Amino acid sequence: MIKNHSKSVLPTLLTALCASFLPASFAQTNNSEQSQSLYDIANAISPARIESDITTLVNFGTRHTLSETESNTRGIGAARRWIKAEFEKISAQCGGCLEVYFQSEVISGEKRIPDPVEVVSVIAIQRGTTDPDRYVIMSGDIDSRVSDVMDYTSDAPGANDNASGLAGTLEAARVLTQYKFNGSIVYAALAGEEQGLFGGRIMANKAKEDGWRIKAVLNNDMIGNIEGVNGVINNTTARIFAEGTRVTETESEARRRRFTGGEVDSPSRNLARYIDKIADQYIENLDTMVVYRLDRFGRGGHHRPFNDLGYPGIRIMETNENYTRQHQDLRTENGIVYGDTLEGVNFDYAAKLTGLNAVSLAAMAWAPNPPANVTIEGAVQPSTTLKWDTLSATQNPQLKGYKVYWRHTDAPQWEYSKFVGKVTEATLENIVIDNYFFGVASVNNDGIESVVVYPGPAGSFGE
């Protein structure tokens, strides 16, 4: 017999269930001070300042890695000195809050750098207040090129590829240095991208040597074009490229992943999901497309050297590329104007994608460290249990607790969540482990969350 519930009991039961398992996309709106600051950060990004920076970079004529280094007005030498001076100016306005320096290495014997050349990047670090050894990084590329990758004398404006990403990095630094964060934020102007991703390789190797705990690399490469070669004009979407399984995965880890999952839950993939969620909540009129691939088909960018060492890294860029404006000699043929000039950059759009970066960096730097050593169990059981390590109270004084996430295995974004408090273990009753993917995020006192961490080595963000 089916018993009838009284009118007073059923609403109470439904309310309790909804409170326990809220869909992740329908969590209560966070009205905290930091959450409001994230909106303020998005709104503070200036298209005019981005336009000014892109114009300055274009006016160096060429920024080819092999180009002039002695001139003060032309070539990559003049460009990198100007970039460093801009970071130092930003630092002066925040009381010296940035550590600004050149990072270099002499490269030779390479296909695109046959003779010895000093590849010089510009790095600016905004140190965190409680966890300075935890880093999130935003990068853009200094160099430019024309049709012949070895032509270092012709004009190569590189307005969109990649003065746009570099200008966005400078602008993010201007805005974010007005705030203090628990973790460190790095603004990187990387050189040698077109010749073989050398600036990224140098920085990634140095970071590993120095023991940096890198939790995110946001590579911005072409964030200003809205007119695609396919005829589409759209300023409301962006792409986030994120690789799947780590290339550093061991044979034993691969065997474990085969039986427990994780192919679509690498740190890079969950970083991409995090940024996608940031776009939905904080960036007006922007829908991001998470692309399950390292980069565009057969192509590469400066996040790859970090991925090569196992760090979480993604590429943020425009949705609709225009190949007549990429890697082209300046010319007009058959009525088509070729070349990467200022006319091909939409500065409002570049500002929108810069805002996405800035808000994501701020949220991750304010949030506690992502949970470490997350494990899961529940095979042939009616419930699922997740466990993780306690975070250092010294490094994470802002920790409020943890939130458990889960989703159907074919769902692209996290669907359900439950805040479980300041514990190191949580059991989801009657949630069968076989039917979902799971993860855990740390939450600060203002409700700002870390990236979700998938259990096991496949999803680990490290310590």
Side-chain angles (χ1 to χ4, degrees):
M1 177 182 291
I2 299 176
K3 296 182 179 180
N4 291 324
H5 292 283
S6 68
K7 291 183 179 180
S8 61
V9 172
L10 186 56
T12 303
L13 177 62
L14 290 174
T15 300
L17 288 172
C18 290
S20 297
F21 302 135
L22 283 174
S25 58
F26 292 96
Q28 288 185 338
T29 301
N30 183 2
N31 294 317
S32 70
E33 180 179 347
Q34 286 182 354
S35 184
Q36 180 56 52
S37 293
L38 295 179
Y39 289 106
D40 295 339
I41 287 167
N43 293 329
I45 302 297
S46 168
R49 288 195 296 260
I50 289 174
E51 178 179 6
S52 176
D53 288 344
I54 294 176
T55 301
T56 298
L57 290 164
V58 165
N59 286 340
F60 289 115
T62 179
R63 304 186 306 279
H64 193 284
T65 300
L66 312 183
S67 65
E68 171 68 52
T69 61
E70 298 299 326
S71 171
N72 289 322
T73 58
R74 184 176 178 84
I76 195 166
R80 66 196 182 211
R81 288 190 292 274
W82 174 80
I83 295 163
K84 185 171 183 285
E86 282 300 300
F87 278 129
E88 289 170 342
K89 186 187 301 181
I90 294 168
S91 183
Q93 293 172 348
C94 61
C97 70
L98 293 179
E99 300 170 25
V100 184
Y101 58 92
F102 285 131
Q103 183 178 74
S104 67
E105 186 176 313
V106 175
I107 304 295
S108 65
E110 300 285 347
K111 182 178 180 180
R112 295 185 177 184
I113 308 182
D115 301 318
V117 170
E118 187 180 22
V119 175
V120 184
S121 299
V122 187
I123 311 298
I125 303 176
Q126 182 178 355
R127 292 286 176 188
T129 57
T130 64
D131 196 3
D133 294 327
R134 170 166 58 100
Y135 297 89
V136 291
I137 301 169
M138 179 179 180
S139 70
D141 306 321
I142 301 175
D143 55 321
S144 63
R145 59 166 286 192
V146 289
S147 300
D148 180 358
V149 71
M150 300 304 292
D151 180 354
Y152 59 86
T153 58
S154 296
D155 281 350
N160 189 47
D161 184 15
N162 184 29
S164 64
L166 182 48
T169 303
L170 284 166
E171 178 64 7
R174 291 190 188 98
V175 173
L176 293 180
T177 49
Q178 303 308 304
Y179 299 84
K180 292 186 182 298
F181 300 97
N182 296 86
S184 296
I185 301 177
V186 182
Y187 313 95
L190 300 176
E193 192 265 350
E194 301 290 3
Q195 305 309 113
L197 310 178
F198 289 104
R201 292 188 198 182
I202 294 166
M203 184 180 180
N205 287 332
K206 180 62 174 173
K208 184 175 183 179
E209 178 185 322
D210 291 344
W212 283 19
R213 292 164 39 236
I214 297 177
K215 305 304 176 182
V217 178
L218 313 187
N219 172 39
N220 288 257
D221 196 344
M222 294 187 290
I223 62 170
N225 181 73
I226 65 170
E227 301 178 20
V229 73
N230 56 357
V232 174
I233 300 176
N234 188 323
N235 67 353
T236 65
T237 63
R239 291 180 292 180
I240 306 173
F241 285 88
E243 73 168 355
T245 305
R246 273 193 179 104
V247 70
T248 57
E249 183 181 61
T250 66
E251 185 176 341
S252 63
E253 289 170 347
R255 175 176 173 80
R256 176 176 175 179
R257 176 176 52 78
R258 183 183 182 194
F259 294 99
T260 61
E263 295 84 356
V264 293
D265 278 278
S266 66
S268 295
R269 289 276 168 86
N270 277 318
L271 172 60
R273 291 187 180 100
Y274 185 89
I275 296 171
D276 176 67
K277 188 175 178 181
I278 289 286
D280 290 342
Q281 185 166 356
Y282 294 102
I283 310 299
E284 292 182 8
N285 201 26
L286 180 66
D287 182 39
T288 55
M289 175 196 310
V290 176
V291 183
Y292 284 8
R293 187 179 287 133
L294 173 64
D295 209 314
R296 297 146 310 149
F297 201 85
R299 304 174 73 183
H302 251 146
H303 55 302
R304 195 181 88 192
F306 293 91
N307 291 149
D308 288 345
L309 297 182
Y311 294 121
I314 52 89
R315 176 182 185 140
I316 296 175
M317 70 175 302
E318 63 211 23
T319 302
N320 300 291
E321 296 181 66
N322 194 322
Y323 306 123
T324 64
R325 297 172 180 170
Q326 292 179 20
H327 303 174
Q328 296 287 348
D329 292 335
L330 300 176
R331 68 193 192 281
T332 300
E333 291 181 0
N334 301 320
I336 300 175
V337 178
Y338 290 85
D340 189 358
T341 61
L342 286 167
E343 289 72 24
V345 180
N346 184 290
F347 305 109
D348 288 327
Y349 179 71
K352 187 183 296 187
L353 268 59
T354 298
L356 175 63
N357 278 267
V359 173
S360 300
L361 293 167
M364 288 187 287
W366 267 326
N369 191 62
N373 296 318
V374 179
T375 62
I376 189 168
E377 55 190 47
V380 297
Q381 296 179 32
S383 302
T384 300
T385 298
L386 294 111
K387 300 178 183 179
W388 53 92
D389 288 351
T390 301
L391 294 181
S392 163
T394 302
Q395 294 172 322
N396 303 277
Q398 77 278 33
L399 176 68
K400 180 180 181 181
Y402 301 89
K403 184 182 285 189
V404 174
Y405 280 88
W406 66 103
R407 71 180 197 275
H408 289 91
T409 61
D410 61 350
Q413 184 58 277
W414 295 105
E415 296 176 291
Y416 309 102
S417 65
K418 179 182 180 182
F419 181 74
V420 296
K422 194 177 286 189
V423 297
T424 57
E425 178 179 337
T427 296
L428 299 173
E429 300 292 346
N430 298 317
I431 302 296
V432 178
I433 193 172
D434 299 323
N435 299 340
Y436 302 91
F437 288 148
F438 299 84
V440 185
S442 56
V443 186
N444 79 0
N445 289 319
D446 277 37
I448 305 298
E449 300 179 21
S450 74
V451 180
V452 178
V453 180
Y454 185 84
S460 173
F461 278 75
E463 296 299 324

